[in-house]
Amino acid sequence: MDVSGNSTLMTNVTPAPDHCNTTNPVTYKILSWLMIGEFALGLPLNLTVLYIFLFRFKFWKTNSIFLFNIVVADFLLVVCLPAKAYHFQHGVRRSSNRFVCQTMLFMLFLNRGASIAFLTAMSLDRYFNVVHLGRGNFIRVMKKSPQISILIWLLLLPLTIPTMLKTFECCNSHGRMFETDPQDITDTFREVVFFTQILIPFFILIYCTVRIVNRLKKKTVGDKTKLKRAVCLVISVILVFSVCFLPCTLARMALLFVRLKEWQEVENVVVQVYDGFMVLSYIDCLLDPLVYCFCYSGFKDAYLDTFCPAVIRRKLSIDFFTGTLTTTATSGTRITSPVITPVTLPMIDKN
């Protein structure tokens, strides 16, 4: 009787079992190869983009400090992918080493938060430049100051540090402990941050897009190129959000729901879906260069001129926004200034 009573008592106080091991090894091996592919494509892409911003655009002179921070965030995200793929290959969702696990989570969530913050800031900048042209644009002032970018990174730290306190992916995440657990408030705060840092910027982007499109429709005279580029920018950012961030957010909602309902068999499936969408979210390091093309009309031309052969440059010599044919230099002469001559390439939009 005593043994039975003690066993019953232990059952009541022990948290629900958590499975950090993969329930379907085949699924996670496929996800690991997808991450290896993202790493193989993302590392050279982000290194070359980093080179463009450092040596061609000189980002500190061309008001592209926010974009440079997105490149840095993407690069730091890419270098974390091999470790994550290694764990999936060996049938675990996270490292068994507590320090490695928490460091990986911190890096992944910090860099994703930085990408979202700077992408949203760039979209707001275009919104103010188009819809509230002539009024004070505080974001334009902010993006010229490196100190503001540093401040944004520092403000992200308090939102990311909770991932260092308790692991997030599987063990002791929200819904695993009883409500009386004093650490439950940490999990709740972390879940709130996870959802708000995606949903709030997404609604801001929708609002900016609607206002910019309406402004474009009302413009009956004058050059519409800048307005069209602004529309393309915010739509490209919404595309990044829709493909990379919203699916994992919805999957996280479903995971918390079935976990709190204690539907263990359903949870085993939803966990795989959630992990799959998280792997998909890492593809933003491949999609962000699309945003750079809309922020700076000369980015595509500078990139092609630096890294693509002359034959490819000739085939891609159609203007990115107007669809008109432009002539490009094929002699291999490097463009050392972000201001490109009108004869060869379009001027860089410094707004």
Side-chain angles (χ1 to χ4, degrees):
M1 291 294 294
D2 292 338
V3 174
S4 176
N6 291 337
S7 177
T8 303
L9 180 62
M10 290 298 293
T11 302
N12 291 334
V13 299
T14 304
D18 198 330
H19 303 286
C20 289
N21 293 327
T22 59
T23 56
N24 190 334
V26 176
T27 298
Y28 284 87
K29 283 187 180 296
I30 294 174
L31 293 178
S32 69
W33 284 110
L34 287 176
M35 281 190 287
I36 292 173
E38 291 171 344
F39 174 78
L41 296 174
L43 183 63
L45 176 63
N46 283 276
L47 283 175
T48 53
V49 170
L50 197 61
Y51 173 86
I52 293 294
F53 276 98
L54 285 173
F55 301 106
R56 298 294 301 276
F57 276 177
K58 295 182 172 31
F59 68 92
W60 58 92
K61 296 181 180 179
T62 57
N63 299 336
S64 56
I65 295 177
F66 279 1
L67 288 179
F68 176 75
N69 281 274
I70 299 174
V71 179
V72 172
D74 288 342
F75 176 76
L76 294 176
L77 172 65
V78 167
V79 297
C80 295
L81 295 182
K84 191 75 174 175
Y86 174 83
H87 299 144
F88 280 11
Q89 282 276 356
H90 288 76
V92 292
R93 299 178 60 219
R94 67 171 181 91
S95 172
S96 58
N97 184 292
R98 184 178 179 85
F99 174 77
V100 174
C101 176
Q102 292 176 335
T103 302
M104 282 287 298
L105 287 171
F106 178 79
M107 291 293 293
L108 291 174
F109 280 92
L110 175 65
N111 295 315
R112 188 178 71 164
S115 294
I116 292 172
F118 288 110
L119 283 172
T120 306
M122 292 302 305
S123 300
L124 285 172
D125 177 56
R126 287 305 169 94
Y127 163 75
F128 282 109
N129 284 340
V130 171
V131 179
H132 299 289
L133 185 63
R135 300 181 184 179
N137 184 351
F138 67 97
I139 296 183
R140 175 179 291 185
V141 177
M142 291 170 55
K143 72 178 186 179
K144 295 180 180 179
S145 173
Q147 292 82 0
I148 297 298
S149 296
I150 295 174
L151 179 62
I152 292 175
W153 282 96
L154 293 177
L155 290 176
L156 288 170
L157 290 178
L159 303 178
T160 312
I161 284 177
T163 60
M164 301 287 287
L165 302 179
K166 295 173 67 180
T167 57
F168 182 80
E169 294 287 3
C170 51
C171 295
N172 295 332
S173 53
H174 199 67
R176 292 296 189 191
M177 306 298 288
F178 289 101
E179 294 181 358
T180 56
D181 191 291
Q183 293 295 329
D184 188 66
I185 188 172
T186 302
D187 290 327
T188 302
F189 173 75
R190 186 168 48 205
E191 298 291 349
V192 170
V193 171
F194 179 85
F195 291 116
T196 56
Q197 74 172 358
I198 296 175
L199 295 179
I200 292 179
F202 181 73
F203 289 125
I204 292 175
L205 291 171
I206 294 294
Y207 174 79
C208 293
T209 303
V210 172
R211 293 296 304 274
I212 292 175
V213 170
N214 289 337
R215 179 69 179 86
L216 177 61
K217 290 180 179 179
K218 293 178 181 179
K219 188 177 180 62
T220 57
V221 294
D223 184 18
K224 293 186 178 182
T225 302
K226 184 176 180 179
L227 286 176
K228 291 180 179 179
R229 188 177 297 130
V231 172
C232 292
L233 169 64
V234 292
I235 290 179
S236 65
V237 176
I238 289 178
L239 175 65
V240 172
F241 269 73
S242 300
V243 173
C244 301
F245 303 133
L246 284 182
C248 65
T249 304
L250 297 176
R252 185 70 188 175
M253 291 180 182
L255 176 59
L256 292 179
F257 178 79
V258 299
R259 181 175 292 169
L260 293 173
K261 290 291 184 179
E262 298 182 355
W263 299 340
Q264 187 59 51
E265 292 185 2
V266 179
E267 180 182 341
N268 292 336
V269 177
V270 177
V271 164
Q272 297 176 54
V273 175
Y274 169 72
D275 286 338
F277 281 132
M278 285 299 293
V279 171
L280 178 66
S281 71
Y282 304 148
I283 204 174
D284 73 306
C285 62
L286 302 177
L287 296 180
D288 283 340
L290 175 67
V291 178
Y292 310 150
C293 292
F294 292 115
C295 282
Y296 285 90
S297 58
F299 173 81
K300 175 180 69 73
D301 301 295
Y303 191 92
L304 294 177
D305 180 72
T306 304
F307 297 107
C308 293
V311 175
I312 297 179
R313 292 204 304 272
R314 284 196 298 269
K315 291 182 179 180
L316 298 176
S317 59
I318 297 178
D319 187 270
F320 200 70
F321 299 103
T322 64
T324 58
L325 188 63
T326 59
T327 58
T328 55
T330 58
S331 60
T333 304
R334 293 186 61 185
I335 303 172
T336 58
S337 172
V339 180
I340 305 171
T341 60
V343 176
T344 56
L345 300 172
M347 293 291 288
I348 291 177
D349 179 10
K350 295 187 178 183
N351 292 326

